[in-house]
Amino acid sequence: MWDHRYLSRLDFRMIPIILVLMVISVLVIASMTGANFDEEETTVFTIWVMKQIRFFIIGWIVYFIIAALDYRKFKEWVWLFYLGILILLIGLFFIPTVHNVQRWYRVPGIPFDIQPSEGAKLVVIMALSLYLENHKRHIQYIRIPYQALLIVLVPFFLILKQPDLGTALVLYPIALILFYLGGVRKKIIKIMTYLALFALGFVSLVFLNILSHEQIRPYATKILKEYQYERLNPNTYHQRASQTATALGSWTGSGWRNSDFSGKQWLPAAHTDSVFAAFSEEFGIIGVFFLLLFFSGLIYFGFQVTAIANDDFGRLLSAGITAYLAVHMIINMGMMCGFLPITGVPLLLITYGGSSVISTMAALGILQSIYSRRFMF
């Protein structure tokens, strides 16, 4: 079950990449949460930085514990995890709101707000991977993909109701990739792909001002609520501010703690949702290139694990986690560059937040567990 000897079989190329991303996170959070640059007294170790460092320490503990744990043992616990996460998601609607939304639990003694939707993404990946493995012999039966889709849709709608559109939509491409690798009927894959392309095309047309946001409003609000449709508005202050900060970085950036826009608090949520825009302003296109390089390293590692996994559960699980990493990166960067609506999807290991950090480190630990047991049969 748990064997520390497997820690010697880890792919140690991943560890320096994670460390670099954590250092970048600390630098950006320190820059965005310190005193204004025109003040003499500034500090690197702000309260937000110290909290993020604690999250990273907890994350590393979770990472090594899970890496040494046989990932196949999760098969025995998956449905218990799934039931637990549904209970937590439902429970949010019976407690006081935090920041006017129903996304977090505040538990005394825990140094961060618990966001069940972050853990839900990982649990759904595990549940869907196990279900597809268990039904691979009957995967062409029409009921199998619909039952598998139900595994995704229940937490999807619970998360959407919070409301948390961004986190809910992350589940869609993950499910699509797992369905494809799991051998689900091609017709269903095509329908899901066309729906995704239609939605992406519609959003792109709105954000490129080819379709007028205001002219479409009367029709769209018959399906969506007003506040939901407003997130597709490409002219909000947050959208414009994120694009401005990103553009001001130019090639080399303004330098750490030298930004004139993000650092002066003109950029909303600079250390959370907008952390990529803040990073872009201070480190420029060159900095973004290296950031993409580091994230690509994690995604490449995930693909490697998928290729060498010795069972269907490990193959599907690693593919889902790799999609999880890639989708977060693409959506967050797309939001900040003005290609997608801002929906609160974090830039993993960079954005401030305990639930996101711990869920991501757990996912990376699972990848290492699969990798270290690649020769077991």
Side-chain angles (χ1 to χ4, degrees):
M1 183 177 178
W2 192 90
D3 192 340
H4 70 277
R5 291 174 297 179
Y6 281 96
L7 295 176
S8 63
R9 303 180 185 180
L10 302 183
D11 188 333
F12 291 99
R13 295 173 298 175
M14 178 193 281
I15 293 177
I17 295 175
I18 298 173
L19 286 172
V20 169
L21 291 174
M22 289 180 171
V23 169
I24 291 173
S25 174
V26 168
L27 289 175
V28 178
I29 294 172
S31 181
M32 295 301 111
T33 59
N36 291 334
F37 300 147
D38 55 356
E39 295 181 6
E40 293 184 1
E41 293 185 4
T42 60
T43 179
V44 173
F45 296 102
T46 66
I47 184 173
W48 305 104
V49 169
M50 296 304 297
K51 285 183 178 180
Q52 188 75 340
I53 291 173
R54 285 199 293 269
F55 299 154
F56 287 151
I57 292 172
I58 296 171
W60 278 115
I61 294 171
V62 171
Y63 174 85
F64 285 114
I65 289 175
I66 292 180
L69 182 68
D70 190 341
Y71 69 94
R72 291 170 297 185
K73 280 292 180 181
F74 285 123
K75 294 182 180 182
E76 302 173 8
W77 307 331
V78 163
W79 299 116
L80 184 61
F81 290 159
Y82 186 80
L83 178 62
I85 208 69
L86 292 184
I87 292 172
L88 287 174
L89 290 172
I90 294 171
L92 288 171
F93 301 105
F94 298 95
I95 64 172
T97 60
V98 179
H99 306 304
N100 297 318
V101 292
Q102 293 164 309
R103 297 182 191 173
W104 296 278
Y105 286 101
R106 285 184 170 170
V107 181
I110 296 179
F112 59 92
D113 295 338
I114 298 174
Q115 187 174 1
S117 59
E118 289 297 327
K121 289 177 281 191
L122 185 55
V123 171
V124 167
I125 292 171
M126 291 193 291
L128 197 55
S129 298
L130 180 59
Y131 183 84
L132 292 174
E133 183 197 44
N134 289 342
H135 294 82
K136 62 181 178 180
R137 293 183 179 180
H138 309 289
I139 197 66
Q140 293 301 315
Y141 291 6
I142 192 65
R143 63 180 176 83
I144 300 301
Y146 289 114
Q147 290 174 355
L149 193 59
L150 189 64
I151 294 172
V152 180
L153 288 179
V154 173
F156 175 90
F157 284 114
L158 288 174
I159 294 171
L160 191 63
K161 186 67 177 177
Q162 292 179 1
D164 190 353
L165 177 64
T167 299
L169 291 181
V170 167
L171 295 175
Y172 192 92
I174 291 174
L176 181 59
I177 289 172
L178 288 179
F179 277 20
Y180 175 77
L181 294 177
V184 170
R185 301 174 79 177
K186 292 182 179 180
K187 184 178 180 180
I188 295 175
I189 299 295
K190 287 181 179 179
I191 293 173
M192 291 180 67
T193 302
Y194 291 149
L195 286 174
L197 291 175
F198 173 79
L200 185 61
F202 173 76
V203 172
S204 298
L205 291 174
V206 172
F207 273 72
L208 291 172
N209 286 320
I210 296 174
L211 294 178
S212 170
H213 179 266
E214 291 304 318
Q215 289 178 357
I216 297 174
R217 182 187 295 273
Y219 308 101
T221 50
K222 292 180 180 179
I223 303 173
L224 302 174
K225 293 183 179 180
E226 187 71 29
Y227 74 87
Q228 291 175 324
Y229 181 67
E230 192 57 32
R231 292 176 184 172
L232 298 179
N233 187 350
N235 298 309
T236 63
Y237 176 78
H238 198 167
Q239 289 282 359
R240 294 301 184 188
S242 63
Q243 294 173 55
T244 299
T246 302
L248 286 173
S250 189
W251 284 97
T252 58
S254 60
W256 186 59
R257 284 198 160 182
N258 286 321
S259 58
D260 292 322
F261 189 81
S262 302
K264 301 296 183 181
Q265 299 182 354
W266 294 106
L267 176 65
H271 67 295
T272 53
D273 293 347
S274 306
V275 70
F276 175 73
F279 174 85
S280 300
E281 184 180 358
E282 294 197 337
F283 297 95
I285 294 176
I286 295 175
V288 170
F289 170 79
F290 284 102
L291 182 64
L292 287 171
L293 201 62
F294 293 128
F295 273 118
S296 298
L298 287 182
I299 294 169
Y300 175 74
F301 171 78
F303 283 132
Q304 277 193 318
V305 175
T306 301
I308 64 178
N310 61 30
D311 66 334
D312 288 326
F313 180 64
R315 183 173 61 90
L316 292 169
L317 185 56
S318 59
I321 290 173
T322 305
Y324 165 87
L325 297 172
V327 168
H328 276 81
M329 181 189 74
I330 293 169
I331 292 180
N332 184 274
M333 294 183 180
M335 293 188 311
M336 293 300 103
C337 294
F339 299 123
L340 295 170
I342 295 176
T343 56
V345 174
L347 186 60
L348 300 180
L349 297 178
I350 306 293
T351 297
Y352 170 85
S355 295
S356 174
V357 167
I358 294 170
S359 296
T360 303
M361 292 299 286
L364 294 173
I366 292 173
L367 284 181
Q368 287 283 26
S369 176
I370 299 170
Y371 179 86
S372 64
R373 290 165 176 80
R374 62 195 181 280
F375 297 126
M376 294 181 64
F377 299 95

